[in-house]
Amino acid sequence: MNCLYTISKTSEILGVNKNKVYDLIKHGHIQALKLGSMKISSFELDDFMKRNAGKDFSDLENVKELKVIYERSGT
């Protein structure tokens, strides 16, 4: 079932602060709607996470593929 999340709830789900959610909306990475206050559908949030898995959002104007460097522990 599709439901609507507030900015606060969205930030909690994503583990970021509310300003980051507003920035994601501003830069077009997440689509929101305004019904009294800004809301994000659960469908949009799920889709955002699926289509952006493995990406680095440190710079919202230049999203890149995530490069993970693994450190080996000495044995």
Side-chain angles (χ1 to χ4, degrees):
M1 182 170 122
N2 199 15
C3 61
L4 295 174
Y5 296 126
T6 62
I7 297 298
S8 294
K9 184 63 177 176
T10 301
S11 70
E12 183 182 318
I13 292 168
L14 293 176
V16 298
N17 66 40
K18 291 189 284 187
N19 289 334
K20 187 68 163 187
V21 176
Y22 283 115
D23 287 344
L24 288 166
I25 294 166
K26 177 183 172 185
H27 286 87
H29 298 294
I30 293 180
Q31 293 201 15
L33 59 126
K34 189 164 185 176
L35 292 171
S37 61
M38 297 288 275
K39 307 268 190 330
I40 298 169
S41 73
S42 56
F43 174 82
E44 173 64 18
L45 193 55
D46 288 342
D47 187 52
F48 167 77
M49 289 188 283
K50 286 177 186 173
R51 73 179 182 264
N52 292 296
K55 294 190 179 171
D56 179 355
F57 277 81
S58 298
D59 178 358
L60 295 179
E61 293 180 4
N62 189 23
V63 176
K64 300 178 182 178
E65 291 297 317
L66 185 62
K67 293 183 182 178
V68 179
I69 300 171
Y70 295 97
E71 292 184 23
R72 291 183 171 210
S73 59
T75 51

